[in-house]
């Protein structure tokens, strides 16, 4: 996915660069019939606008479906929701429970007692499975259904001071 995003950015940056180069090279030329140029520029602009709407509208709707916020909600029929209250401190996590069952939705209610932190859940292979921000005065909710047993780690994703790297907690997923 990162690779695709990078390639797409590269192609688009090249196109923008070529556009600038085209304008720079042709900036010396004088156009007599200004009205004709205005007309064709406006019609190009209209076409470009609708092309962008038609291309990026569906892309936006398609990619928004990947947002995790409501994922557990939609599947909450697959079992009772297990609630984990998570509070961030400089520099530790406080979890209301450290064991949850697999294949049942877990609702993490994440907040902070001091500064902003990032709440990231990693699997045994250190792949990020879900994340949200831990903010003082707010409770951010993420729902995640663990499909694999094992020990997951919670790491802070936002630099929060000198011992930021020590902010680690474990949560065990298995049969309860
Ligand atoms: Cu941190």
């Amino acid at each position: 996915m990162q690779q695709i995003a990078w390639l797409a950015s590269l192609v688009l940056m090249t196109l923008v660069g070529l556009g600038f180069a085209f304008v720079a090279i042709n900036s010396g030329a004088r156009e007599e019939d200004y009205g004709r140029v205005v007309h064709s520029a406006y019609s190009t602009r209209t076409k470009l606008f609708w092309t962008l709407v038609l291309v990026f509208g569906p892309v936006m709707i398609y990619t928004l479906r990947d947002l995790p916020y409501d994922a557990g909600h939609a599947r909450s029929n697959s079992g009772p929701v297990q609630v984990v209250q998570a509070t961030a401190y400089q520099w530790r996590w406080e979890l209301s429970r450290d064991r949850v069952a697999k294949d049942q939705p877990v609702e993490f209610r994440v907040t902070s007692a001091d500064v902003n932190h990032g709440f990231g859940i990693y699997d045994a292979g250190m792949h990020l499975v879900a994340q949200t921000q831990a903010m003082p005065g707010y409770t951010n909710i993420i729902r995640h259904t663990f499909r694999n047993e094992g020990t997951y780690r919670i790491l802070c994703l936002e630099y929060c001071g000198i011992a930021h790297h020590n902010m680690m907690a474990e949560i065990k997923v298995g049969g309860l």
Side-chain angles (χ1 to χ4, degrees):
M1 197 60 180
Q2 291 292 319
Q3 204 67 24
I4 295 167
W6 166 237
L7 284 176
S9 307
L10 210 59
V11 168
L12 290 174
M13 285 188 293
T14 308
L15 286 177
V16 171
L18 288 176
F20 274 103
F22 178 79
V23 170
I25 289 165
N26 290 288
S27 61
R30 283 281 166 270
E31 180 64 57
E32 296 301 318
D33 190 358
Y34 188 64
R36 195 178 59 79
V37 174
V38 169
H39 181 77
S40 92
Y42 278 13
S43 102
T44 303
R45 187 174 68 175
T46 307
K47 280 186 208 133
L48 188 61
F49 173 76
W50 286 110
T51 306
L52 290 176
V53 168
L54 287 175
V55 171
F56 286 101
V59 167
M60 189 185 71
I61 291 163
Y62 180 75
T63 52
L64 276 177
R65 302 181 326 146
D66 260 356
L67 279 182
Y69 306 126
D70 207 34
H73 195 65
R75 274 185 261 118
S76 61
N77 290 336
S78 57
V81 172
Q82 312 168 84
V83 174
V84 179
Q85 179 73 44
T87 309
Y89 296 84
Q90 282 171 312
W91 292 276
R92 65 196 164 85
W93 293 103
E94 223 172 73
L95 304 176
S96 62
R97 55 193 287 184
D98 60 2
R99 288 191 76 89
V100 293
K102 73 164 189 167
D103 296 328
Q104 279 178 33
V106 181
E107 182 173 292
F108 290 94
R109 298 180 183 165
V110 182
T111 188
S112 167
D114 38 50
V115 300
N116 269 10
H117 299 269
F119 179 85
I121 307 169
Y122 288 83
D123 67 12
M126 286 309 280
H127 296 108
L128 187 64
V129 297
Q131 64 96 19
T132 189
Q133 213 172 11
M135 302 156 76
Y138 293 90
T139 298
N140 289 320
I141 290 175
I142 39 169
R143 298 186 187 90
H144 182 71
T145 303
F146 294 94
R147 297 295 178 195
N148 298 307
E149 291 189 9
T151 302
Y152 290 71
R153 267 186 281 186
I154 290 157
L155 304 182
C156 182
L157 293 177
E158 189 166 324
Y159 184 70
C160 56
I162 196 79
H164 157 72
H165 58 280
N166 281 343
M167 285 188 67
M168 260 185 270
E170 283 187 352
I171 190 154
K172 289 199 170 56
V173 176
L176 284 182

